[in-house]
Amino acid sequence: MGIVGKIGNVSVTKLVLVVLVIGIAGWLLSYFGVKIFNNLRDAIRNKDLVDKANAEIKDSDVTLTSAQASTLADKIFSALRGWGTDEEAVYSAFRMLRSRSDLLLLSRTFGVRGGRTLSEWLSSDLSQKELDKVNQILATNGITYSFFIG
């Protein structure tokens, strides 16, 4: 019968094709299922972050516009993602904050990017010494908040 034979009344070729199609369909379902799950998880985390920030932000203390907060969030994200970290860009962005409400607005605007919040990005990409410098910048600007690793 050659290489392709029959097992009972089913040809080996058809069996291999069915198994291959089921395997590919299973992989696609799991791949997109994980993406959908991660997006839903991030949306829930982002909503929680926004709700918490909104509860704490004092409008009278905010010195940044929404556009400025968005620009700073983008600047920090660009400085942290990919290979290497541009610490000076991170420090520069934090020097622009004048109040705890500015920091909360920045955190809310940053949201969840790449599955992580601003705090999570900072603690995973910066060393403790670099985080201490961010915290010192905040303290110098009269902002009582500290980022930490862990």
Side-chain angles (χ1 to χ4, degrees), residues 7 10 25 36-37 50 56 58 83 130 132 135 144 147:
I7 301 173
V10 179
I36 290 168
F37 173 79
V50 167
E56 293 186 44
K58 295 178 185 170
W83 291 102
E130 293 161 341
D132 289 345
N135 291 333
T144 55
F147 291 100

Side-chain angles (χ1 to χ4, degrees), residues 42 46 49-50 53 66 69-81 90 93-94 102-122 125:
D42 289 352
N46 195 50
L49 181 72
V50 167
S66 294
S70 181
T71 298
L72 290 177
D74 291 343
K75 180 179 182 177
I76 292 169
F77 185 60
S78 293
L80 297 174
R81 74 170 178 214
V90 172
F94 279 95
D102 283 348
L103 176 59
L104 293 167
L105 175 62
L106 174 63
S107 180
R108 180 181 79 187
T109 303
F110 189 94
V112 177
R113 298 182 185 201
R116 294 187 274 179
T117 64
L118 174 61
S119 182
E120 291 166 341
W121 272 101
L122 293 171
D125 277 33

Side-chain angles (χ1 to χ4, degrees), residues 38-79:
N38 288 340
N39 287 339
L40 287 172
R41 183 200 63 213
D42 289 352
I44 291 167
R45 290 181 70 214
N46 195 50
K47 183 186 177 321
D48 291 344
L49 181 72
V50 167
D51 290 345
K52 183 178 178 188
N54 285 341
E56 293 186 44
I57 291 174
K58 295 178 185 170
D59 291 335
S60 60
D61 291 344
V62 176
T63 67
L64 299 174
T65 65
S66 294
Q68 289 169 321
S70 181
T71 298
L72 290 177
D74 291 343
K75 180 179 182 177
I76 292 169
F77 185 60
S78 293

Side-chain angles (χ1 to χ4, degrees), residues 25-37:
W27 181 84
L28 287 170
L29 284 172
S30 66
Y31 176 79
F32 288 110
V34 166
K35 283 207 166 276
I36 290 168
F37 173 79

